[in-house]
Amino acid sequence: MTEQHNEDIERVGMPCISKADQLSKHITGRIISGQWKPGQLMASERQLAAEFGMSRAIVRESVTQLVGKGVLQSRHGQGTRVCNPMAHLFDEHFGDLPQDSYELQLAVLEMRTVIDGEAAWYFCQRASAEEMQMLVSEFERMGQRRLHAMTPLERAKADLTFHMLIAEHCHQILIISLAQLLYSKFFNAIYGVLGRTHRRTGGYPPHIEEQHRNIFQAICSRDAETARLAAEQHILTTRQTLEQLEPGRQG
């Protein structure tokens, strides 16, 4: 039996992968890589067909497959969006937790130490030049806002916008998914720190601006390890500030 004949037999035994299945793998790969983010609106059927060089019928079949698997969500008149792969777990188990709980805010800040550190590291490694410019612009906007009096609510929004930009553009699907799902809890934790500090001192924790700058400068230098450490230190210090504001509730 010739070598060519052996190869022909192997090909016959191989499963045939349809074009729709191939496209589904391409789409899933982009989602896993963080190129397409949870919540992101997909391009139109026509645009996807042109991009991948396939017919609209194949695109439609692929999208239908992924909707059925829970990878995509399609709503009439609203287009198709990428699903957050962890959403069902959080909706089921964490949806009813009290948002302003001191204990929950501490737990969230503990989690953020890990998430923010890793997000900063991956952003340094994977962010495009365009995404880096987005961070520069946001950091500049944050600095401009601080020139004016800001309420704790406004300050918390500006703070979290900066951190979420890093997380959502770090090209790591699990970090992006967790950051999105924990957004409201992240917000309540930082608002809790800023609000408590402002009520007691009339100002805000002095470390925040300097530590934001440390994170920003390390990321702009693409220094992943320094960026990770700076982000971790920032959240750790914020958590310690919250503990100091509620000394009777520790332990």
Side-chain angles (χ1 to χ4, degrees), residues 2-247:
T2 66
E3 183 177 342
Q4 180 63 46
H5 188 56
N6 282 332
E7 291 177 359
D8 290 340
I9 292 175
E10 289 173 1
R11 289 196 188 99
V12 170
M14 291 174 63
C16 180
I17 301 177
S18 70
K19 288 186 177 180
D21 289 337
Q22 292 175 32
L23 180 56
S24 294
K25 287 187 175 182
H26 279 300
I27 292 173
T28 303
R30 290 194 178 186
I31 294 170
I32 292 173
S33 72
Q35 186 175 349
W36 291 352
K37 304 170 184 63
Q40 181 174 330
L41 183 66
M42 297 279 290
S44 69
E45 190 177 277
R46 184 189 303 275
Q47 290 170 322
L48 289 173
E51 179 178 353
F52 289 101
M54 295 183 178
S55 70
R56 293 179 64 179
I58 290 173
V59 171
R60 192 177 306 119
E61 181 182 351
S62 175
V63 169
T64 300
Q65 287 179 2
L66 294 175
V67 168
K69 293 178 180 178
V71 176
L72 301 177
Q73 181 183 59
S74 183
R75 291 183 177 176
H76 182 68
Q78 298 182 25
T80 302
R81 294 184 181 275
V82 178
C83 290
N84 190 308
M86 300 181 181
H88 66 288
L89 297 174
F90 276 73
D91 290 342
E92 181 178 351
H93 298 292
F94 299 101
D96 296 329
L97 289 174
Q99 296 294 307
D100 59 352
S101 161
Y102 167 79
E103 290 75 16
L104 178 60
Q105 289 175 1
L106 282 180
V108 167
L109 288 170
E110 289 176 349
M111 174 63 75
R112 277 196 63 185
T113 303
V114 178
I115 293 177
D116 283 47
E118 293 305 303
W121 192 92
Y122 281 109
F123 191 99
C124 288
Q125 298 285 347
R126 299 177 177 179
S128 66
E130 180 182 359
E131 289 167 328
M132 188 67 76
Q133 185 55 51
M134 289 169 60
L135 182 65
V136 171
S137 298
E138 182 55 40
F139 186 78
E140 291 174 350
R141 279 194 295 270
M142 189 165 59
Q144 288 297 317
R145 293 189 192 105
R146 291 200 187 104
L147 298 177
H148 309 283
M150 297 176 70
T151 66
L153 180 63
E154 292 169 334
R155 189 85 176 221
K157 288 180 178 178
D159 184 288
L160 194 53
T161 297
F162 171 73
H163 289 288
M164 285 298 294
L165 191 151
I166 295 170
E168 290 199 305
H169 295 276
C170 73
H171 295 263
Q172 213 290 342
I173 183 63
L174 297 181
I175 292 175
I176 297 169
S177 299
L178 280 170
Q180 289 184 353
L181 290 169
L182 290 170
Y183 177 89
S184 64
K185 294 174 177 58
F186 284 176
F187 179 81
N188 281 290
I190 188 59
Y191 180 61
V193 173
L194 295 175
R196 285 177 172 87
T197 305
H198 194 266
R199 285 194 298 272
R200 295 192 181 191
T201 69
Y204 298 104
H207 69 273
I208 291 179
E209 291 184 25
E210 179 183 356
Q211 291 184 346
H212 279 165
R213 182 170 297 279
N214 291 341
I215 296 168
F216 172 72
Q217 290 177 341
I219 288 178
C220 286
S221 300
R222 299 274 186 181
D223 186 342
E225 284 300 329
T226 300
R228 173 195 275 154
L229 291 173
E232 290 174 347
Q233 184 59 50
H234 171 57
I235 302 301
L236 177 61
T237 305
T238 302
R239 183 180 185 278
Q240 291 170 342
T241 300
L242 180 59
E243 290 176 323
Q244 291 165 5
L245 290 167
E246 300 284 348

